[in-house]
């Protein structure tokens, strides 16, 4: 775990070629000045341990409000880190300091070894995709033109822009032929959000900043978008900082979760399983709540050692009524090795036999999961998360925050 708090471009009238000004672009979260040339003589990148590195970063506003308190945090290349906490905890301020929409009061921020607080913000934002809650699509532009905003500012050839926009629309699950010529008001909320993600990816930035991108979507569409986003991230492997209020969303999406409390204090920075199994502070325990044990089912995979033998006790018992589907033969209820224990629990609750067959990647039976073995798997995961916490020289476990 790497993260601590010490306590635990051009003029405003820039024309984009679409009648859009720099101020409008900034308001919608787009890199408004990405067309400016790179500055010569930039300093050589400094060695850091992550794609994104924050070192003792703080933000105090003119009225004296401390939004972020001495934050140190590392985000590895290809990692998706969720910033979570109550309103006013500094998570959005932290994200906006990374691309200098908000300037830090003190500390250093690095992206791929380059200190962003000394970099030209135009060149910096060219390397960062930005997705906001209300999407911020330009209502007077078609879907293709919205996605093409930054490549057009960069001066890409028209044919390259068309190829790239259609490629990205397909990547986010939209048919370019069907939606490319539409305007934002002709799309559903979920479709608009996909277009926003495609626009952020248009210039192939190594880093994405996402500020509650799915919070304004209805629950069914949000669940589908989260699943598609996981698929997308598995393909593109971007380094992502993702702000959310939703613990379920953070657990589902994140490689690691940073839990903040009021005043911009980082309470814990660890994997979802560790945050849920071993809250580092009373605040984290209270924030994750009594339901964190159920959430752990979503981040605990089924392992071979968790299973009972296929021919164990109860294997020859006849199926109960819940096992029988309409028709001559009931389908076998199976789960896959490596899938979340949550999936296995859902199957267990749908059968009277109390046993779910688990198959390996080749489809061969690896064993069976029962209520008793599922409980043992959860206890094993909790013990592993606890043993992974760093120990202080005196032998006591260190505060994970």
């Amino acid at each position: 775990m790497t993260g601590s708090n010490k306590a635990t471009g051009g003029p405003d009238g820039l024309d984009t070629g679409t009648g859009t000004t720099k101020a409008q672009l900034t308001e919608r979260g787009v890199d408004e000045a990405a067309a400016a040339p790179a500055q010569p003589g930039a300093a050589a990148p400094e060695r850091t341990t992550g794609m994104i590195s924050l070192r003792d970063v703080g933000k105090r506003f003119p009225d004296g409000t401390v939004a972020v308190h001495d934050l140190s945090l590392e985000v590895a290349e290809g990692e998706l880190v969720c910033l979570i906490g109550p309103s006013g905890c500094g998570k959005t301020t932290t994200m906006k300091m990374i691309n200098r929409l908000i300037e830090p009061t003190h500390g250093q921020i690095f992206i791929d070894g380059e200190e962003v607080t000394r970099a030209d913000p135009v060149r910096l934002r060219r390397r960062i995709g930005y997705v906001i809650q209300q999407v911020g699509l330009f209502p007077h532009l078609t879907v293709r033109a919205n996605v093409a905003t930054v490549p057009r500012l960069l001066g890409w050839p028209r044919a390259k822009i068309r190829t790239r926009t259609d490629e990205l629309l397909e990547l986010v699950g939209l048919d370019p032929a069907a939606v490319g010529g539409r305007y934002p008001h002709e799309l559903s909320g979920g479709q608009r959000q996909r277009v926003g993600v495609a626009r952020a990816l248009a210039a192939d930035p190594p880093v994405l900043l996402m500020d509650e991108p799915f919070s304004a979507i209805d629950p069914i569409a949000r669940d589908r978008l989260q699943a598609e986003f996981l698929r997308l991230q598995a393909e593109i492997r971007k380094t992502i900082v993702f702000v959310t209020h939703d613990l379920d969303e953070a657990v589902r999406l994140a490689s690691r979760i940073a839990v903040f409390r009021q005043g911009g204090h980082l309470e814990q920075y660890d994997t979802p399983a560790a945050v849920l199994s071993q809250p580092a502070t009373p605040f984290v325990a209270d924030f994750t709540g009594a339901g964190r044990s159920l959430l752990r089912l979503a981040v605990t995979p089924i392992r071979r050692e968790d299973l009972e033998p296929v021919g164990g006790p109860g294997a020859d018992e006849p199926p109960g009524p819940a096992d029988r589907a309409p028709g001559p033969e009931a389908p076998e209820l199976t789960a896959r090795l490596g899938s979340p224990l949550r999936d296995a629990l859902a199957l267990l609750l749908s059968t009277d036999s109390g046993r779910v067959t688990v198959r390996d990647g080749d489809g061969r039976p690896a064993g069976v999961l029962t209520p008793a073995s599922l409980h043992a798997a959860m206890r094993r995961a909790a013990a592993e998360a606890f043993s992974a916490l760093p120990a202080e020289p005196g032998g006591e476990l260190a505060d994970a925050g």
Side-chain angles (χ1 to χ4, degrees), residues 294-354:
L294 292 176
L295 280 176
R296 282 167 46 205
L297 289 168
V299 295
T300 304
I302 301 173
R303 296 184 183 177
R304 193 177 295 270
E305 58 264 36
D306 298 327
L307 305 178
E308 297 178 13
V310 174
D316 297 325
E317 292 179 6
D323 292 303
R324 300 191 188 101
E329 189 173 328
E332 181 188 27
L333 297 177
T334 65
R336 292 284 181 179
L337 275 178
S339 61
L341 285 174
R342 177 186 58 189
D343 296 353
L345 176 61
L347 291 172
L348 281 172
L349 293 175
S350 68
T351 176
D352 284 347
S353 69

Side-chain angles (χ1 to χ4, degrees), residues 30-92:
V30 176
D31 180 3
E32 73 284 349
Q39 297 299 310
E46 181 170 329
R47 182 178 296 276
T48 57
T49 60
M51 171 62 77
I52 301 173
S53 179
L54 286 76
R55 298 179 180 175
D56 299 325
V57 172
K59 178 62 183 179
R60 180 186 294 270
F61 288 104
D63 65 359
T65 300
V66 176
V68 178
H69 179 79
D70 295 342
L71 174 64
S72 294
L73 195 72
E74 299 279 344
V75 182
E77 183 174 2
E79 191 172 28
L80 193 161
V81 168
C82 280
L83 311 184
I84 193 168
S87 296
C89 70
K91 54 188 183 293
T92 297

